[in-house]
Amino acid sequence: MKLRQKIVAGNWKMNKDFTEGIELTTSILEKLDDTQVLVILGTPYIHLQATAGLLTSYEQIKLAAQNCHAEEKGAFTGEISVPMLQSVGVEFVILGHSERRKYFSEIDESVAAKVKTVLAHGLKPIVCVGEELAVREAGEHEALVASQVETALFHLSPEQMEQVVIAYEPVWAIGTGKTATPEQAQEMHHVIRSLVKDQYDTNLADGISILYGGSVKPHNAAELFNQPDVDGGLIGGASLKPDDFVSIIQSF
Ligand code: PGA
């Protein structure tokens, strides 16, 4: 029995207008029975405040933003700060997603700065790492993910590190329908946990939740979540379908 928190986090990405978002959350709440799993809804910014209102009586369901700015406030047109997120009830922030790295110039150093700000305000970062297909084919995936984890996270104190959730998302598996095999996921999750152990200690490493992301669906979730170092999932496409999302939560 793993003591780590089991987590299923949905990443809606840039989907659902306001009305559709409320419908999606309402439908998930209707279908979801009592669960030991921590469920996180990563909605676009415009949904956060209203969704927080829908979640007040659900202890096991939390809200995540999909990004934030590293500064607390100021002249950064179009950006959203951590205090703003906190003021509407957000508790988690997804950082360093591969789409942000690819389309918005996110790099490990900027992820590191955002992680610091998120933690300084008592929120928790879900930090995404993962390799492109060419990197895996060159056999360099472990080294690449190690450098992402080190730069984004190893500046943290042990007390800060305990608050972090890591998501391993091989880029070649995101939105492609091509899931990593349970063995591939387990192998990388073990590598990541070992890095944390070497940098901090066994206790801390054993307590950290490491999520797998990349085409998690109802038919493959159980096998992935069954792996000893896989503590849940970060779900894109399937988080937009209430039946699929709830079925993934229930596959623990
Ligand atoms: P996917 O996305 O489940 O649609 O592959 C996962 C993610 O990008 O977090």
Side-chain angles (χ1 to χ4, degrees), residues 11 13 97 99 169 173-176 213-217 234-237:
N11 174 11
K13 309 191 180 184
H97 190 279
E99 286 148 19
E169 300 204 303
I174 296 178
T176 59
S215 298
V216 178
K217 308 288 176 197
L234 181 54
I235 320 297

Side-chain angles (χ1 to χ4, degrees), residues 46-223:
I46 63 140
H47 299 288
L48 292 168
Q49 185 175 9
T51 308
L54 298 175
L55 299 182
T56 45
S57 52
Y58 295 85
E59 267 291 296
Q60 274 300 102
I61 312 181
K62 308 285 188 196
L63 258 188
Q66 299 171 15
N67 183 36
C68 67
H69 198 280
E71 296 296 328
E72 316 243 325
K73 61 178 175 176
F76 300 101
T77 301
E79 290 294 308
I80 299 283
S81 74
V82 178
M84 290 174 188
L85 296 174
Q86 187 171 35
S87 73
V88 294
V90 171
E91 293 183 49
F92 289 83
V93 185
I94 300 169
L95 292 174
H97 190 279
S98 65
E99 286 148 19
R100 296 221 55 90
R101 293 175 189 260
K102 183 171 175 194
Y103 303 122
F104 305 100
S105 312
E106 191 81 79
I107 53 171
D108 295 320
E109 286 74 6
S110 52
V111 175
K114 292 176 180 186
V115 165
K116 245 188 188 164
T117 311
V118 165
L119 289 167
H121 288 273
L123 281 71
K124 298 181 182 189
I126 301 173
V127 177
C128 304
V129 296
E131 80 285 355
E132 308 254 357
L133 186 58
V135 173
R136 177 164 281 265
E137 285 175 347
E140 287 161 7
H141 46 293
E142 288 189 14
L144 179 97
V145 168
S147 89
Q148 291 175 327
V149 169
E150 281 160 16
T151 309
L153 293 174
F154 285 178
H155 56 100
L156 298 175
S157 70
E159 293 70 29
Q160 291 173 316
M161 189 65 187
E162 280 172 5
Q163 306 302 313
V164 171
V165 176
I166 299 174
Y168 169 61
E169 300 204 303
V171 180
W172 47 272
I174 296 178
T176 59
K178 233 198 230 172
T179 319
T181 64
E183 294 73 29
Q184 286 172 323
Q186 167 57 25
E187 183 182 48
M188 285 305 297
H189 283 227
H190 181 70
V191 166
I192 294 167
R193 201 177 303 284
S194 304
L195 290 166
V196 176
K197 181 173 151 187
D198 292 346
Q199 177 73 15
Y200 296 91
D201 61 48
T202 307
N203 256 352
L204 198 155
D206 282 347
I208 280 204
S209 295
I210 306 178
L211 314 184
Y212 168 79
S215 298
V216 178
K217 308 288 176 197
H219 71 88
N220 58 28
E223 224 190 335

